[in-house]
Amino acid sequence: AQSVAQPEDQVNVAEGNPLTVKCTYSVSGNPYLFWYVQYPNRGLQFLLKYITGDNLVKGSYGFEAEFNKSQTSFHLKKPSALVSDSALYFCAVRANTGGFKTIFGAGTRLFVKA
Amino acid sequence: KAGVTQTPRYLIKTRGQQVTLSCSPISGHRSVSWYQQTPGQGLQFLFEYFSETQRNKGNFPGRFSGRQFSNSRSEMNVSTLELGDSALYLCASSRDGTDTQYFGPGTRLTVL
């Protein structure tokens, strides 16, 4: 069965410092991997995705993620955090298991302190 | 291009009632998925529709149902509401289900 793990409930980082939000996955076959961000009382906003190709994927708002097949990881990164990056981040995997289905991680709350 | 819209945005119902939520996908998108988001369970997949057919279903009781119309708009229905059905219900659309899903703002359902 496919699954996604976000091992940290919360990540705290100072503004201007680099940030990493971790994600590992388990799926049969080739996964489609996504990161979404959710602001309070809003739906999810797409940040970036990995389907195939270059392992380093660049997305919206300066975020990037690195796909590591051997470690089955897809960590979200940003070189310099902003206070406005504070939000809830979800990693998701989508795979064809007799029909496409997206499984989301539990989410990681990011706090960026000024 | 307009985004995914969901109506209503907020809903208050009492136990035992039923409710219908609506989702209009991005123009040209044929796949619509529904998710339930709660603080305790996170985001859970309800079902996915493509071209009016349910392609995939999550592990929810039969009280949760949905449908998709020929214009790709989708509705989900919850019958015999329970307190535990209180949640944010999110709808997401994509072109064919294999690519990026774009989410609506959600419908906040409160069951009293």
Side-chain angles (χ1 to χ4, degrees), chain A residues 106, chain B residues 37-42 86-88 108:
Chain B
Q37 185 178 20
T38 59
Q41 299 296 319
S86 295
L88 180 66
R108 171 76 61 187

Side-chain angles (χ1 to χ4, degrees), chain A residues 7-82:
Chain A
E8 301 152 319
D9 291 335
Q10 185 172 308
V11 169
N12 298 308
V13 65
E15 188 174 35
N17 283 0
L19 70 87
T20 298
V21 183
K22 295 179 181 177
C23 171
T24 58
Y25 66 91
S26 173
V27 67
S28 304
N30 295 320
Y32 295 174
L33 296 162
F34 300 85
W35 275 102
Y36 288 87
V37 60
Q38 187 177 35
Y39 297 98
N41 300 314
R42 303 275 295 276
L44 274 66
Q45 280 182 241
F46 168 73
L47 277 179
L48 50 79
K49 67 181 177 184
Y50 173 85
I51 305 297
T52 185
D54 198 352
N55 289 345
L56 185 63
V57 179
K58 293 190 183 295
S60 307
Y61 313 119
F63 284 94
E64 57 189 31
E66 187 167 11
F67 171 65
N68 187 316
K69 189 172 183 178
S70 62
Q71 296 185 2
T72 61
S73 66
F74 189 56
H75 301 330
L76 181 70
K77 300 182 181 185
K78 187 174 183 182
S80 179
L82 299 172

Side-chain angles (χ1 to χ4, degrees), chain B residues 34-98:
Chain B
W34 288 89
Y35 298 86
Q36 182 196 64
Q37 185 178 20
T38 59
Q41 299 296 319
L43 272 160
Q44 292 191 288
F45 171 75
L46 279 156
F47 26 66
E48 179 194 16
Y49 287 87
F50 181 81
S51 292
E52 302 178 68
T53 301
Q54 187 181 88
R55 281 204 303 197
N56 216 336
K57 191 176 188 308
N59 298 322
F60 278 81
R63 299 186 297 107
F64 291 81
S65 62
R67 59 178 176 168
Q68 187 181 33
F69 302 95
S70 58
N71 62 358
S72 294
R73 190 177 70 85
S74 177
E75 289 181 347
M76 69 163 276
N77 184 278
V78 188
S79 62
T80 321
L81 283 166
E82 300 177 0
L83 295 179
D85 296 334
S86 295
L88 180 66
Y89 290 88
L90 292 166
C91 163
S93 77
S94 67
R95 280 176 302 185
D96 61 9
T98 63

Side-chain angles (χ1 to χ4, degrees), chain B residues 14-32:
Chain B
T14 56
R15 280 181 298 173
Q17 287 187 310
Q18 77 163 19
V19 67
T20 299
L21 312 182
S22 181
C23 171
S24 292
I26 291 171
S27 178
H29 285 193
R30 296 165 65 192
S31 168
V32 174

